Amino acid sequence: MLYFSTFLFSFVAIGALLPLGALSLPSTDHTSPVLAGPIGKNCTIGSIHEGTPTGKNITIGGVPTYFAAPSKALNNDGGGKKASTKVIMFFGAFSINNELLQDYFATQGYNVLGIDYFFGDPIGLHVSPDLVPFDPTFDLNAWVVKSKNQADAAVPTWIEAVKRRYGSKAKYTAVGYCFGAPYVMDLSATNQVVAGAFAHPSSLTEDHFNRLKKPLLLSCAESDSSFPNKSRRRAEDILAAGHSTYHVQIFSGTTHGFATRGNLTVENELWAKEESARSVIMWFDRFSK
């Protein structure tokens, strides 16, 4: 396992069934106070995990997608009847770490689909681990704007295609890491999912929490410059005031990125990463019955 810093991991991407063609996400109030800050260097540090992904790369709604399927046995309710289909929409960057995480979710009985917002153009193709451009003419800010606009345009069509694939009777959930958190919050402000979850988020405002309709799991690091304790407590106050269904977990000795990029040779980081993943499944199981 290598420990490194790279923007390949940094921009971590980003149910009642709406009528096809009418799918949309609520717009965020951009004047709302920021609670989770934008992508920064704290989003780039992490380790590469070892393993062989068991899922496959497919295309859904014209968007590259990582797909991990449960075994046929897990699609059975134990009594010989086919269980209700359970689907996790995974908002995280294309990386071996996230593929292995999605594979784990699939072993727990879920069809897991992870979107590639960047369409094969991650920032790691353009800059070094120290964020130095390989080409001195490369414009990082322009790449960020392009990628964000591209992601925002792709998400609704992708979600619509996912729902067309599994139908109106499936139980849809969504989990996001870092940059994926806003997409989960947008979905959780609608009836498109039965529950949402995020870990070490970025780019969230108070409006995201005020609009929440569905149960939310917040998997948080003890020390997170993107989502500091003051912001987390403010988010909790908003959720409590709104009588939301939510659960907050905080892992001691962890920092931003622990749930996807932790150093697995460190016992505490390994435990926190695995417990966060288990908690996501238990949370989704609770609302996917």
Side-chain angles (χ1 to χ4, degrees):
M1 178 174 63
L2 301 176
Y3 207 74
F4 82 133
S5 171
T6 174
F7 252 77
L8 183 61
F9 285 113
S10 64
F11 291 84
V12 183
I14 340 191
L17 181 64
L18 292 181
L20 296 182
L23 189 62
S24 63
L25 298 178
S27 60
T28 300
D29 179 2
H30 296 291
T31 65
S32 179
V34 172
L35 293 184
I39 298 298
K41 285 191 175 182
N42 65 312
C43 303
T44 70
I45 299 173
S47 62
I48 299 176
H49 300 162
E50 295 178 350
T52 302
T54 57
K56 58 183 179 180
N57 293 319
I58 62 175
T59 299
I60 294 182
V63 186
T65 302
Y66 183 79
F67 171 54
S71 68
K72 291 182 179 179
L74 290 172
N75 273 333
N76 201 288
D77 68 358
K81 297 179 180 179
K82 185 174 176 61
S84 298
T85 301
K86 297 188 293 185
V87 179
I88 293 177
M89 290 180 279
F90 186 98
F91 295 89
F94 261 37
S95 70
I96 187 172
N97 292 20
N98 284 336
E99 290 172 356
L100 294 172
L101 180 56
Q102 289 173 86
D103 290 347
Y104 163 72
F105 289 156
T107 67
Q108 304 304 299
Y110 287 82
N111 293 278
V112 188
L113 301 110
I115 184 173
D116 178 16
Y117 305 111
F118 309 123
F119 293 86
D121 184 37
I123 195 62
L125 295 179
H126 304 286
V127 299
S128 72
D130 294 324
L131 308 186
V132 177
F134 301 133
D135 179 348
T137 65
F138 176 71
D139 187 334
L140 177 59
N141 289 332
W143 181 92
V144 171
V145 171
K146 181 266 293 184
S147 297
K148 180 65 166 63
N149 291 339
Q150 181 176 262
D152 288 348
V155 168
T157 300
W158 182 79
I159 294 171
E160 182 177 321
V162 169
K163 292 202 164 189
R164 185 185 300 114
R165 179 185 178 103
Y166 293 102
S168 60
K169 294 183 180 181
K171 300 292 186 178
Y172 296 95
T173 54
V175 62
Y177 297 86
C178 192
F179 187 62
Y183 296 102
V184 169
M185 294 300 287
D186 287 342
L187 276 166
S188 299
T190 72
N191 291 321
Q192 298 175 47
V193 294
V194 297
F198 66 62
H200 41 78
S202 65
S203 304
L204 295 181
T205 69
E206 289 190 2
D207 185 51
H208 282 109
F209 295 92
N210 281 316
R211 293 189 292 107
L212 187 72
K213 289 184 178 180
K214 295 299 179 179
L216 179 68
L217 171 69
L218 298 79
S219 193
C220 304
E222 179 182 47
S223 178
D224 189 340
S225 58
S226 289
F227 193 46
N229 293 340
K230 182 178 180 180
S231 291
R232 188 194 72 244
R233 290 167 184 146
R234 174 58 183 154
E236 292 175 30
D237 288 344
I238 293 172
L239 294 173
H243 303 287
S244 300
T245 299
Y246 69 99
H247 179 66
V248 180
Q249 55 181 187
I250 305 166
F251 293 93
S252 64
T254 61
T255 59
H256 189 92
F258 76 92
T260 55
R261 305 188 308 276
N263 184 346
L264 304 188
T265 65
V266 177
E267 187 277 336
N268 188 66
E269 294 190 30
L270 171 63
W271 183 86
K273 180 251 183 199
E274 293 188 343
E275 184 62 24
S276 175
R278 285 191 291 265
S279 297
V280 169
I281 289 300
M282 289 189 291
W283 186 252
F284 288 166
D285 282 349
R286 179 182 173 190
F287 301 103
S288 298
K289 298 177 180 178

